[in-house]
Amino acid sequence: MSKVATREAYGKALLELGKKNPSVVALDADLSGSTKTKVFGKEFPERFVNVGIAEQNLMGIAAGLSLGGKIPFASTFAVFATGRAWEQIRQSICYPGLNVKIVASHAGITVGEDGGSHQSVEDISLMRTIPAMTVIVPADGVETAKAITAMGEYAGPTYIRVGRAKTEIIYDDSYSFRVGKANVLKKGADVTVIACGVMVPEAMKAADELLAEGISAGVINMSTIKPLDSDAVIEAAKGSGAIVTAEEHSIIGGLGSAVAEVISEACPVPLVRVGIKDVFGTSGKPDDLMEKYGLTANDIKKAAKEAVAKKPRKV
Amino acid sequence: MTLAVDSIKHLAQTACTIRMDIVEMLNKAGSGHTGGSLSAADIVTALYFHKMRHMPSDPKWPERDRFILCKGHAAPVLYAALARSGYFPLDELKTLRQFGSRLQGHPDSRKLPGVEISTGSLGQGLSVSCGLALSGKMDGKSWRVYALLGDGELQEGQVWEAAMAAAHYGLDNLTAIIDNNGLQIDGACSEVMCVDSISDKFASFGWDTINIDGHNMEEITDALDRAQAHKGRPTAIIARTIKGKGCSLFEGKVEYHGTPPSDKELEAALKELGGVE
């Protein structure tokens, strides 16, 4: 299976979008080599703005460029974009409803060796809570490219989360991405795993292994966390009677919470959340960290069995 | 270019009208920021009634100059200037801060025509102004961006991130005006957190600077013209002002930062303002 880092896919897709749309501008805060906005900056230096190590100003300048009719893509590491500049995103971008795209890389623990200070485990939560913000977590390089392309036509503040590590490609070019639309990869009768980002391929693996053990597990790629495709969540809850969520993010405030909010109101069924258990990350290789923080196919399998066991017995 | 004496007099009279609007709407609202709205009245008047090219009948006219009220709590001075310019009916000033009003406690660009961007959280407006000025440069436009900041606001670190960027990008289409009234909510800026040597600070960040009396219409209009003539660098106009200017009851009094005039105070203020030639 081929692997591509979603940040690489972002860099290339942004360049292509820039070629088609002269209003697209890219901004970075001294991390353009890492976030891959440098690819755009090399081709379009006159449309590339490096603000230096100043994330608050990054968001403010992006807001101003948007006021001037540009389509700004502002990038830095997820931990700085959503943490350091949260209030700038709230006040200067979302409150006035500006068309700014924040594409933050090095999200989650798969940042690896840089350690806990650089591993955002709460960025989805921070962005999801701001009114009017759209939040997208692409599952692979193909979906990242499609989401970036879609941004050329999608108005309004949007947060897109991409990663540092090379991750599995699950889609081919025939895949069609739509903001706010879940992608059902597999239907299941016993349980449905709703996943995002790097956890989608893990969920697929888990579903295959569960089937061998006699459990029919569905898999949904919920790449848009907000607005959440509630219909898809309710359909899965009704269809399989148990839900597992899987995200490379804290179990507080992210996909797991969003799904819990929907099913607890609309269709209460057993739910088990796979994610980072309210702790900070640490240095290490991404694979080792995925294991340490319980983010592997095995962890999803365990969670799925737990969810199935919680289902009310049929009489 | 120095303005004719008549024009200066006329602008000063307009500023006086704006001040009357400010105290009236704040009294009606029963809350809001008196001191910092009055201290900025002459500057805002000079911009809206003399310097800026804008079109109240078409608030989004692409070639307009842009004004960003970084110190968003001084919303009343902006609302008065917009209403007196013709962006919306004067009568609407009475709705300030009320439920359902377009005149929010702090300016909301999604509600009120003429407001370029919502502000209120201090320290963010200069960054937005930089981005806007940068977009103008990218497109080769001749319109200008005017950002009005408070002096207490300079305590926000983001202002200096923006100051660095404006100079770095050579944003000579950006003019920042500092309403240097010397007071903030908790007391004198010098006591709360010293922001002295404002001019030196901006100069060291690579800006051209002009120091003026922010209540002298001739100095204000002259400084705005000089700022436009400066090429290659942004200009900061440090306008020495008096908080609550125009109404002796409020002048230099920190307690009127966020206190509206009572009925009695309004009467006295209007009497005093009405006496200005």
Side-chain angles (χ1 to χ4, degrees), chain B residues 70-146:
Chain B
C70 306
K71 47 173 286 185
H73 57 278
V77 69
L78 174 61
Y79 297 156
L82 289 174
R84 291 277 164 196
S85 298
Y87 282 87
F88 54 85
L90 271 175
D91 217 35
E92 205 170 332
L93 292 178
K94 289 182 195 147
T95 68
L96 174 70
R97 289 179 162 248
Q98 286 172 23
F99 181 69
S101 172
R102 298 192 290 177
L103 277 58
Q104 294 284 293
H106 294 80
D108 184 340
S109 53
R110 291 216 280 190
K111 292 196 164 72
L112 194 64
V115 175
E116 296 289 348
I117 186 168
S118 307
T119 50
S121 176
L122 295 175
Q124 301 193 20
L126 193 59
S127 293
V128 177
S129 305
C130 283
L132 190 51
L134 199 54
S135 76
K137 284 263 173 205
M138 283 176 177
D139 293 341
K141 298 290 186 185
S142 63
W143 47 260
R144 301 184 57 76
V145 180
Y146 293 95

Side-chain angles (χ1 to χ4, degrees), chain A residues 50 57 70 87-88 92, chain B residues 121 124 127 139 158 161 169:
Chain A
N50 196 333
N57 197 38
K70 305 294 177 194
E87 206 225 345
Q88 283 71 21
S92 292
Chain B
S121 176
Q124 301 193 20
S127 293
D139 293 341
Q158 189 186 348
E161 293 184 1
Y169 292 116

Side-chain angles (χ1 to χ4, degrees), chain B residues 32-73:
Chain B
H33 299 84
T34 306
S37 299
L38 291 170
S39 65
D42 300 296
I43 297 160
V44 173
T45 299
L47 285 167
Y48 274 88
F49 299 91
H50 168 65
K51 186 65 191 169
M52 292 202 312
R53 294 170 303 172
H54 62 122
M55 201 181 285
S57 60
D58 181 10
K60 295 278 179 196
W61 176 48
E63 302 310 317
R64 72 192 182 281
D65 291 328
R66 275 82 167 160
F67 174 73
I68 293 184
L69 184 67
C70 306
K71 47 173 286 185
H73 57 278

Side-chain angles (χ1 to χ4, degrees), chain B:
Chain B
M1 177 187 71
T2 307
L3 276 183
V5 177
D6 279 0
S7 305
I8 294 287
K9 258 184 140 175
H10 186 69
L11 280 172
Q13 188 54 52
T14 305
C16 185
T17 308
I18 294 281
R19 285 194 166 93
M20 292 167 91
D21 289 338
I22 290 170
V23 289
E24 279 187 312
M25 76 174 103
L26 281 165
N27 167 262
K28 179 89 171 63
S31 70
H33 299 84
T34 306
S37 299
L38 291 170
S39 65
D42 300 296
I43 297 160
V44 173
T45 299
L47 285 167
Y48 274 88
F49 299 91
H50 168 65
K51 186 65 191 169
M52 292 202 312
R53 294 170 303 172
H54 62 122
M55 201 181 285
S57 60
D58 181 10
K60 295 278 179 196
W61 176 48
E63 302 310 317
R64 72 192 182 281
D65 291 328
R66 275 82 167 160
F67 174 73
I68 293 184
L69 184 67
C70 306
K71 47 173 286 185
H73 57 278
V77 69
L78 174 61
Y79 297 156
L82 289 174
R84 291 277 164 196
S85 298
Y87 282 87
F88 54 85
L90 271 175
D91 217 35
E92 205 170 332
L93 292 178
K94 289 182 195 147
T95 68
L96 174 70
R97 289 179 162 248
Q98 286 172 23
F99 181 69
S101 172
R102 298 192 290 177
L103 277 58
Q104 294 284 293
H106 294 80
D108 184 340
S109 53
R110 291 216 280 190
K111 292 196 164 72
L112 194 64
V115 175
E116 296 289 348
I117 186 168
S118 307
T119 50
S121 176
L122 295 175
Q124 301 193 20
L126 193 59
S127 293
V128 177
S129 305
C130 283
L132 190 51
L134 199 54
S135 76
K137 284 263 173 205
M138 283 176 177
D139 293 341
K141 298 290 186 185
S142 63
W143 47 260
R144 301 184 57 76
V145 180
Y146 293 95
L148 179 64
L149 294 86
D151 47 7
E153 183 174 10
L154 304 181
Q155 291 159 0
E156 291 280 5
Q158 189 186 348
V159 170
W160 303 104
E161 293 184 1
M164 208 182 296
H168 183 82
Y169 292 116
L171 300 178
D172 52 15
N173 54 347
L174 170 67
T175 303
I177 304 141
I178 319 302
D179 180 7
N180 186 197
N181 62 36
L183 298 177
Q184 57 189 110
I185 302 179
D186 275 355
C189 299
S190 57
E191 284 169 19
V192 176
M193 181 51 65
C194 180
V195 290
D196 283 355
S197 312
I198 296 172
S199 186
D200 291 347
K201 284 185 170 79
F202 274 95
S204 73
F205 274 76
W207 290 54
D208 283 330
T209 59
I210 304 172
N211 290 279
I212 59 163
D213 171 353
H215 301 307
N216 181 318
M217 203 51 87
E218 201 170 346
E219 287 189 30
I220 298 170
T221 53
D222 184 55
L224 291 170
D225 288 343
R226 281 164 60 199
Q228 182 164 6
H230 289 168
K231 293 299 168 209
R233 289 144 72 93
T235 299
I237 298 173
I238 296 94
R240 184 68 218 174
T241 58
I242 294 165
K243 202 152 179 167
K245 173 73 180 176
C247 314
S248 45
L249 278 169
F250 316 135
E251 281 188 6
K253 289 190 184 150
V254 74
E255 52 271 37
Y256 285 95
H257 172 93
T259 308
S262 67
D263 291 346
K264 218 174 146 188
E265 287 165 343
L266 174 67
E267 200 181 317
L270 288 176
K271 202 170 165 193
E272 193 176 345
L273 286 164
V276 174
E277 267 303 302

